[in-house]
Amino acid sequence: MNNTGLSIHINDGLRTLAHIDNFSFTMNKITFLFGESGIGKSMISKAVYGLLDPNELQIKINDKDYQNYLDLPVTRQIKQNGFFVFQEPSSHLNTLLKIEDQLNEGAIDQHLDEKTILQTLWDTTDDDTIKKIIGIYPRPYRPSGGEKQRILLAMAFKKINLMLQPSGSSSFSLFVFDEPTGSLDNHFRNLFLQLLFDKFSRKQFTSLFITHDYSIISRIMNHHQNMIDAIDFKELARSDSGKVTLNFFSPEQYLSWLKRIQKIPGRTDGIESPKSEVLRIHKHFRIYNREYSIYSDAGCNHSTDLIIHRGEMVYLKAGSGVGKTTMAKILMGLQPAEQVEFEIAGIKISEQSGPGVWKKSIWGKKMGMVFQHADEALNLETTVKESLDGLKNKKLRGEFLKSKLEELFEDKIDDEFLSKKVKYLSGGQKQRLNLVRTLALDVDLIILDEPLNGLDFISIQKTLDWLQEKQRAGKAFLIISHNEEIFENLIDSNRTYFLNFQ
C-alpha cells in the first residue's frame, strides 16, 4: 500500500463511483486526505477498510474481485484491530441503546480510560456533564451533531487504547476518521487533534484522516511541529481520463496563499450612514422559547444590533449547534420566530410579517442564500441547465451563466455537462452549482452558510475571488462558516459578530 498503491474501481452497474490507480498511505503515519466532496474519499477508504458489500457494488482491487481482497489476512486485521469513524454519526448510533451502552460494545467493552477520553473531548472535569450525555438514547436533535461526532471519536480512542496496552495486538491496524471535525468548532477540533497526536506519540499506528478543513494544516505547522515527520498531506484530484489521482499536497501551498489574502475595505462609499445599510438585525430575538442575543465581542458581554452596509462582508460566529443557520433561515423567511425585528434594504420585518413578503419583495430581489448543504437548494432530478433556467431571469442565462460555471468548474461546460442530472454531480460540484445560482443574482445581500463546504483547494480560491469581485461591486455578504482561519483573514475583526443564547 505504501509503495505501489492500490488500483481501486467501484461502480454500481450504471456508473463509476470511484476509480483510482494509485491510492496509498504510509504505514505508521497519519495521512490527511483532502479533496472535494463526492470525489471518492469515503468510498475508497471504505473499500480499503473492507466495509463495502460485493453483492451491492462491482468492486475491483488490483484488478481482482473484491472478495479476494476481503479474504486477505491483512484486511481481516484492519477490521479486527482498527476503527472507522463515519462522517454522519447519526446513522451509526443505535437509537434503542443508551450511549453509555454503545460506548462499551464489542472489543471496547473494557474501561480503557473512557472517563478521561470523554472529559478531554468535552473539555470538562464535571462528571455530571458527561453523565447527562451518555445516559440518553440518541435522537435526531439530541445529542447535538457535534456531540454525536465526539461519541464516535471516543469509541475510536478506546480502540486505540486497547492497542496501546502491553497486551495489545501487534498486527496491522487502520484507524479511519471520515470528516471527524465537520461538526466541531475549532476549539473542540484542536482538543481532538491533541488527543490523537498524544496517542500516536505513545505508539505509532496507521491512520487516514479525511477532511475539507485545510486550516488543520496551520494548526499542525504552528502547534504540532513534533508531528510533522509522522504526517503526510495528500489530495484527491480529477484527471482528464475521468479517474481520480492521489497527489501530495504541500502545506506551503495553503500557508502562502493564506498570507496573500487581501482584505477589502468595508464600505465602498466610505460613509457609515443609514443610507448605505443593507441589513440591520435587532440584537435580541426569540425562537423555540429561547432568547438569543447578538454580540460585538467573543466573550458575549456587549449585545448589539448586527449591521451590514453596502460592499461589506460580515462574519457571524457561534459554537456548533447554537443557532447560526436557524438565524439565517429566519432572515430568509424559511423559519418563523417568536420575536424578531430586522430591516433588509428598507423593508421592515417582524414576527408578524406574513410569508408573502419574502415571495413578493425579498427572494431573488433583495436577498439570496447559499445553503450549507447543496441538496437543500437544488432539485436533484433536474438537469444542470434546468436548475439554472429556474432562476427565471433572462439576463442570467446563456453565455453569462456559462462563463460563471467555467470559472468554478474544472469540467468542460458543454451540452453533455448541462444535460447531466444534478443528482449525478459530486458533492463539490453541487456546491459550486449552488454558489453560481445564488451569486449570479442581482440582490443587495447574500447569506453564505458554509460556502466552502465540500470544495477542494482550487475551488476555494476561485470562490473567494468571486466573492471579493461581488463585494467590490457593492454587494453585501453575511458569512456563516467554521472556516475561521480563512474568513478571519478575509474580514476585518470589527465586522465580526457573535451569536449566543441566554
Side-chain angles (χ1 to χ4, degrees):
M1 290 182 187
N2 58 327
N3 293 321
T4 59
L6 296 173
S7 169
I8 302 173
H9 191 184
I10 307 168
N11 68 74
D12 62 1
L14 298 173
R15 60 193 180 101
T16 296
L17 302 179
H19 192 183
I20 186 169
D21 290 332
N22 66 332
F23 189 75
S24 63
F25 48 88
T26 306
M27 306 282 280
N28 295 324
K29 272 194 170 186
I30 300 175
T31 299
F32 284 84
L33 183 60
F34 301 101
E36 74 167 24
S37 176
I39 199 169
K41 301 184 301 296
S42 297
M43 183 74 71
I44 292 168
S45 299
K46 287 178 180 177
V48 172
Y49 197 88
L51 291 178
L52 299 184
D53 188 345
N55 295 315
E56 294 183 357
L57 299 169
Q58 290 79 57
I59 308 161
K60 295 278 189 180
I61 293 187
N62 292 339
D63 295 323
K64 294 182 179 180
D65 289 338
Y66 191 50
Q67 190 60 53
N68 292 332
Y69 176 80
L70 295 177
D71 291 337
L72 292 174
V74 67
T75 310
R76 293 173 180 170
Q77 289 174 10
I78 287 174
K79 298 180 73 172
Q80 180 178 345
N81 302 323
F83 200 90
F84 198 112
V85 174
F86 294 93
Q87 182 174 0
E88 178 41 64
S90 294
S91 59
H92 298 280
L93 290 176
N94 189 338
T95 59
L96 301 179
L97 282 178
K98 286 184 178 180
I99 290 170
E100 59 186 340
D101 295 326
Q102 297 183 58
L103 280 165
N104 289 283
E105 286 187 303
I108 57 174
D109 62 352
Q110 304 173 52
H111 183 263
L112 296 173
D113 207 17
E114 177 182 297
K115 180 179 178 180
T116 302
I117 292 171
L118 292 172
Q119 287 181 339
T120 301
L121 292 175
W122 264 263
D123 194 20
T124 183
T125 57
D126 182 7
D127 287 345
D128 289 338
T129 298
I130 300 301
K131 287 178 181 177
K132 287 178 182 177
I133 296 294
I134 67 174
I136 63 176
Y137 295 90
R139 294 290 183 267
Y141 301 104
R142 186 170 181 255
S144 70
E147 288 172 329
K148 289 175 181 174
Q149 191 72 70
R150 280 176 275 171
I151 290 162
L152 279 189
L153 292 176
M155 294 179 182
F157 281 122
K158 288 185 69 175
K159 195 68 178 287
I160 291 173
N161 277 355
L162 184 64
M163 178 193 66
L164 294 178
Q165 291 184 334
S167 59
S169 173
S170 59
S171 300
F172 177 65
S173 60
L174 175 62
F175 294 88
V176 180
F177 298 92
D178 190 357
E179 294 291 351
T181 63
S183 299
L184 305 182
D185 58 31
N186 279 1
H187 173 70
F188 288 107
R189 179 203 69 180
N190 295 341
L191 291 174
F192 160 58
L193 283 176
Q194 183 66 59
L195 187 56
L196 178 65
F197 294 156
D198 286 347
K199 300 297 182 186
F200 187 90
S201 65
R202 290 178 56 191
K203 182 178 181 180
Q204 294 179 346
F205 52 86
T206 307
S207 179
L208 280 174
F209 192 123
I210 301 169
T211 183
H212 294 115
D213 182 9
Y214 288 85
S215 70
I216 279 180
I217 293 172
S218 296
R219 183 68 189 181
I220 294 170
M221 302 303 287
N222 294 331
H223 297 273
H224 300 284
Q225 282 279 335
N226 62 311
M227 287 294 300
I228 292 175
D229 290 340
I231 289 173
D232 285 335
F233 296 104
K234 296 186 178 183
E235 186 178 46
L236 284 182
R238 299 183 188 280
S239 67
D240 294 337
S241 67
K243 299 178 183 179
V244 295
T245 60
L246 184 66
N247 307 309
F248 278 97
F249 186 87
S250 168
E252 185 57 31
Q253 185 180 352
Y254 170 77
L255 297 174
S256 60
W257 167 77
L258 201 63
K259 292 177 182 177
R260 294 195 304 270
I261 291 178
Q262 297 289 322
K263 294 178 180 177
I264 297 175
R267 299 172 184 84
T268 56
D269 56 7
I271 301 172
E272 186 173 344
S273 70
K275 290 184 179 179
S276 64
E277 282 186 12
V278 173
L279 177 69
R280 177 184 287 266
I281 309 171
H282 189 270
K283 58 188 175 183
H284 304 302
F285 66 94
R286 186 173 69 250
I287 187 170
Y288 303 134
N289 292 318
R290 174 173 274 181
E291 301 287 339
Y292 285 83
S293 293
I294 300 167
Y295 299 90
S296 61
D297 62 305
C300 296
N301 296 312
H302 306 288
S303 59
T304 183
D305 290 356
L306 187 155
I307 303 171
I308 307 179
H309 294 80
R310 184 167 61 87
E312 273 190 343
M313 196 175 286
V314 164
Y315 189 17
L316 179 65
K317 298 177 69 173
S320 179
V322 169
K324 302 184 295 297
T325 297
T326 298
M327 177 176 152
K329 289 183 176 181
I330 290 173
L331 296 176
M332 285 296 295
L334 303 174
Q335 173 70 58
E338 293 149 22
Q339 187 273 317
V340 68
E341 293 179 30
F342 66 93
E343 185 172 341
I344 169 69
I347 301 173
K348 293 185 177 180
I349 301 290
S350 75
E351 69 278 3
Q352 301 296 325
S353 302
V357 174
W358 279 272
K359 185 175 182 180
K360 179 181 178 182
S361 305
I362 295 178
W363 289 338
K365 301 178 179 71
K366 302 294 184 182
M367 186 160 51
M369 180 172 175
V370 173
F371 291 84
Q372 178 176 0
H373 303 292
D375 286 1
E376 294 183 37
L378 301 173
N379 183 341
L380 303 184
E381 294 300 324
T382 63
T383 65
V384 172
K385 183 179 183 302
E386 289 168 344
S387 73
L388 297 172
D389 290 343
L391 294 174
K392 297 181 179 179
N393 187 330
K394 292 182 180 179
K395 294 181 180 179
L396 300 180
R397 298 184 191 177
E399 291 303 314
F400 174 77
L401 278 180
K402 183 179 178 182
S403 68
K404 291 305 177 185
L405 287 171
E406 289 173 343
E407 286 182 22
L408 292 187
F409 280 79
E410 78 286 352
D411 308 79
K412 183 178 180 181
I413 307 303
D414 53 16
D415 289 342
E416 181 181 355
F417 179 82
L418 293 173
S419 299
K420 183 182 291 188
K421 282 199 172 185
V422 172
K423 66 181 180 181
Y424 293 131
L425 300 180
S426 71
Q429 289 172 325
K430 290 176 186 174
Q431 182 67 348
R432 280 176 276 165
L433 179 60
N434 189 22
L435 285 161
V436 169
R437 278 170 44 90
T438 304
L439 292 176
L441 296 172
D442 185 20
V443 295
D444 297 283
L445 174 73
I446 295 176
I447 301 173
L448 300 172
D449 189 1
E450 300 294 351
L452 309 182
N453 192 29
L455 300 183
D456 60 13
F457 184 54
I458 291 176
S459 297
I460 287 173
Q461 295 175 78
K462 290 180 178 179
T463 297
L464 294 183
D465 286 345
W466 196 10
L467 293 186
Q468 290 195 310
E469 177 187 323
K470 301 281 286 186
Q471 186 185 359
R472 290 187 187 95
K475 301 305 177 185
F477 293 92
L478 176 61
I479 307 290
I480 299 169
S481 177
H482 285 307
N483 289 280
E484 294 182 9
E485 181 174 67
I486 291 176
F487 285 106
E488 284 174 356
N489 274 269
L490 195 71
I491 301 171
D492 285 327
S493 58
N494 64 357
R495 306 313 301 145
T496 298
Y497 293 86
F498 302 84
L499 179 68
N500 211 338
F501 42 74
Q502 300 175 359

